[in-house]
Amino acid sequence: AVSAVIVGVISSGSVHAAEETGSSTREQATYAYVANPGDTYTQLVRKAVQTYGIKHDVSVGVPRIIAIETRVSEQSGWPVLNVGQTVSFSEGLIKAWIDEAMQLNEPDVVAWSTYAPYIDFDTRGIGE
């Protein structure tokens, strides 16, 4: 179980999200992205979820991705990125986001799908 989500800005300008259980942080695969001009934190969360889904053959679905990226960005304070800033997410944290989103009920999934036509899900070039 995830007891806390830690999002912090490190002096190097990197943002790290890690999964913490008890007093120690689990070491695991990390998805790291470097912000390009115009990249947003929300897009990097989107790319991390999509990459996790591809790597682990998990079909998250557009409405659930929108729910994840919105919730994570909101909880992180809608960070504004600087060009060249590194943002990283632990694989365990991304899995926790997805697990939570998979619990959305059908009316919520339908509600989130309302935003799908307005979002570009092509994340090639984002965070590269």
Side-chain angles (χ1 to χ4, degrees):
V2 177
S3 60
V5 174
I6 301 170
V7 178
V9 178
I10 309 303
S11 60
S12 66
S14 300
V15 175
H16 298 273
E19 177 180 355
E20 184 176 287
T21 55
S23 61
S24 65
T25 302
R26 290 186 198 163
E27 291 297 323
Q28 53 193 293
T30 300
Y31 294 49
Y33 305 100
V34 178
N36 294 315
D39 285 356
T40 66
Y41 187 79
T42 302
Q43 290 172 316
L44 298 183
V45 172
R46 181 181 310 146
K47 184 167 187 161
V49 172
Q50 290 174 322
T51 302
Y52 180 96
I54 292 165
K55 180 178 177 183
H56 295 282
D57 196 25
V58 175
S59 179
V60 181
V62 167
R64 286 184 170 89
I65 293 172
I66 296 169
I68 292 167
E69 67 188 37
T70 302
R71 183 183 58 80
V72 170
S73 295
E74 179 180 38
Q75 289 178 345
S76 300
W78 302 102
V80 175
L81 304 179
N82 296 312
V83 173
Q85 180 176 357
T86 299
V87 180
S88 56
F89 309 102
S90 73
E91 194 168 73
L93 183 59
I94 298 165
K95 181 184 183 313
W97 297 340
I98 292 169
D99 289 348
E100 183 178 318
M102 297 311 272
Q103 301 304 313
L104 288 173
N105 61 36
E106 191 58 30
D108 286 342
V109 171
V110 170
W112 283 111
S113 69
T114 303
Y115 302 100
Y118 309 104
I119 298 174
D120 182 0
F121 282 89
D122 181 355
T123 57
R124 293 175 293 184
I126 302 292
E128 299 291 323

